[in-house]
Amino acid sequence: DTGVSQNPRHKITKRGQNVTFRCDPISEHNRLYWYRQTLGQGPEFLTYFQNEAQLEKSRLLSDRFSAERPKGSFSTLEIQRTEQGDSAMYLCASSSNYRDTQYFGPGTRLTVL
Amino acid sequence: AQSVAQPEDQVNVAEGNPLTVKCTYSVSGNPYLFWYVQYPNRGLQFLLKYITGDNLVKGSYGFEAEFNKSQTSFHLKKPSALVSDSALYFCAVRDPGSATNKLIFGTGTLLAVQP
C-alpha cells in the first residue's frame, strides 16, 4: 500500500473564498471517508463514499460543503464561501470492503483569515 | 447515542516505565474498537483494533489493548515507554448503527514520555 495522500497539505484563504481539497485513497480501496478535526478534539465524520456513491453525510456538512468521487478513485471536498469556523484539519481515510480498518492521510490544514 | 470517552487529557510517564491510556465506550451491540496515534501536523496512524475473539489485542510498536466488556473499557498499554511514543492518542469505536463503518472518536490523550 502506498498510503492515502492529500493535497494540499496546508491552505490559507480569506473568508468568503472557495477552496477545494483532494484525497487519493489507497488503490483498490472502495470506501472513502472525510473527517474534520478541530484543535483539541477528535476527528468528526463528515461524509462517506462507497465507490462513486455518496452514501452518508453528517449534519456537520452544511450546504456550503460538497464532496465528489467521480470515478470511484480520488475524491474532492469543496467548501464555498469559507468562514472562520471552517478552520480545521480535514482528514481523508480509506478502507477496503473486507477489512474494517480505516487508513488516514496526512490531512489538509485549512486556515480561514 | 454511541460515544467514546478518554478521561485523561494528558498522561505523563518516565521512559522505561509502563504506560496506560484509558478509554471507555458506550455503544449498543458489539463494539468494534480502535486505537490511533497522531504525531504533530500529521494524520492518524492505526495502532490496533478489537473486533472479536481474544480480549488482549497486540498492535504496532509494542502497544497492546485489553477489551473489558463488563467495564466497557479498551485501555491502551505498553510495558516500557519510549520518548518517541510521545504523541496524541485517540480511541475510536465503529458506529454499529451505521452501515458505513464511520468512526466515533474520543477527544484524545496526550502522552508525554520523559527521558
Side-chain angles (χ1 to χ4, degrees):
Chain A
D1 292 337
T2 56
V4 179
S5 61
Q6 292 186 247
N7 287 289
R9 294 290 308 278
H10 304 275
K11 179 70 177 178
I12 300 174
T13 191
K14 293 182 179 179
R15 188 169 47 130
Q17 297 295 304
N18 299 342
V19 295
T20 300
F21 311 140
R22 176 176 170 131
C23 170
D24 288 88
I26 294 170
S27 58
E28 298 180 359
H29 276 190
N30 64 343
R31 298 183 175 203
L32 188 146
Y33 303 80
W34 285 98
Y35 292 83
R36 182 172 70 184
Q37 183 181 18
T38 53
L39 200 61
Q41 299 296 318
E44 294 176 290
F45 170 78
L46 290 178
T47 191
Y48 162 74
F49 289 87
Q50 184 163 330
N51 299 311
E52 66 276 8
Q54 187 175 20
L55 298 184
E56 186 171 351
K57 292 194 292 186
S58 163
R59 57 179 170 76
L60 293 175
L61 214 66
S62 75
D63 55 9
R64 294 186 297 107
F65 288 69
S66 62
E68 294 182 340
R69 195 181 182 197
K71 297 183 179 180
S73 56
F74 72 92
S75 174
T76 58
L77 177 68
E78 181 183 15
I79 309 174
Q80 296 182 327
R81 305 181 303 281
T82 52
E83 301 173 355
Q84 289 184 328
D86 297 331
S87 295
M89 175 79 89
Y90 290 84
L91 296 164
C92 176
S94 69
S95 70
S96 60
N97 235 358
Y98 55 91
R99 294 174 64 181
D100 286 309
T101 302
Q102 294 179 29
Y103 294 94
F104 283 78
T108 295
R109 181 168 295 283
L110 172 66
T111 302
V112 181
L113 302 176
Chain B
Q2 333 292 351
S3 65
V4 171
Q6 293 182 245
E8 302 156 317
D9 290 336
Q10 183 163 338
V11 169
N12 298 305
V13 64
E15 187 175 29
N17 283 1
L19 69 88
T20 298
V21 183
K22 296 180 180 178
C23 172
T24 59
Y25 64 89
S26 174
V27 299
S28 55
N30 295 322
Y32 285 24
L33 294 157
F34 302 80
W35 276 102
Y36 287 85
V37 60
Q38 186 175 37
Y39 295 95
N41 298 314
R42 302 280 296 277
L44 276 68
Q45 294 180 30
F46 169 72
L47 281 178
L48 51 79
K49 66 181 178 184
Y50 172 83
I51 304 296
T52 186
D54 195 346
N55 289 345
L56 185 63
V57 178
K58 294 188 182 298
S60 306
Y61 313 119
F63 284 94
E64 59 188 28
E66 186 169 10
F67 172 67
N68 187 317
K69 188 173 183 178
S70 62
Q71 296 186 359
T72 62
S73 67
F74 188 56
H75 300 331
L76 181 70
K77 300 180 180 184
K78 187 174 182 181
S80 178
L82 300 173
V83 172
S84 57
D85 293 330
S86 299
L88 190 56
Y89 290 80
F90 288 98
C91 181
V93 64
R94 191 191 78 171
D95 184 350
S98 163
T100 64
N101 291 341
K102 66 183 180 186
L103 296 176
I104 299 167
F105 285 87
T107 51
T109 298
L110 183 64
L111 174 66
V113 182
Q114 285 88 35

